[in-house]
């Protein structure tokens, strides 16, 4: 079994007044396409970007990203 990074960004955006991907991208300093790819587990962010995203939502990194067995 392999492991992969998964995330809760879509849920966090919903509970942050339905923040758009574009709004999150601007706050994190990346493109909307980058956020979309991360949400779909198509792209693993750098550690720096992962921390920036967690900071936007004011939550610990492990509430945004997890590293677990691929299903």
């Amino acid at each position: 079994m392999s492991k992969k990074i998964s995330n809760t960004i879509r849920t966090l955006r919903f509970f942050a007044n339905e923040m758009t991907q574009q709004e999150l991208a601007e706050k994190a300093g990346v493109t909307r396409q980058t956020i979309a790819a991360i949400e779909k587990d198509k792209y693993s962010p750098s550690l720096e970007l992962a921390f920036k995203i967690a900071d936007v939502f004011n939550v610990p990194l492990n509430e945004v990203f997890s590293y677990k067995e691929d299903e």
Side-chain angles (χ1 to χ4, degrees), residues 21-64:
Q21 288 179 340
Q22 183 63 43
E23 289 170 327
L24 175 56
E26 289 170 3
K27 291 178 183 207
V30 295
T31 65
R32 185 203 58 78
Q33 291 84 352
T34 298
I35 297 299
I38 294 169
E39 279 188 12
K40 294 177 184 176
D41 296 329
K42 302 286 185 199
Y43 174 74
S44 295
S46 68
L47 190 55
E48 180 180 4
L49 178 54
F51 275 107
K52 285 180 180 180
I53 291 170
D55 283 347
V56 168
F57 296 112
N58 198 30
V59 297
L61 187 63
N62 66 338
E63 284 189 30
V64 183

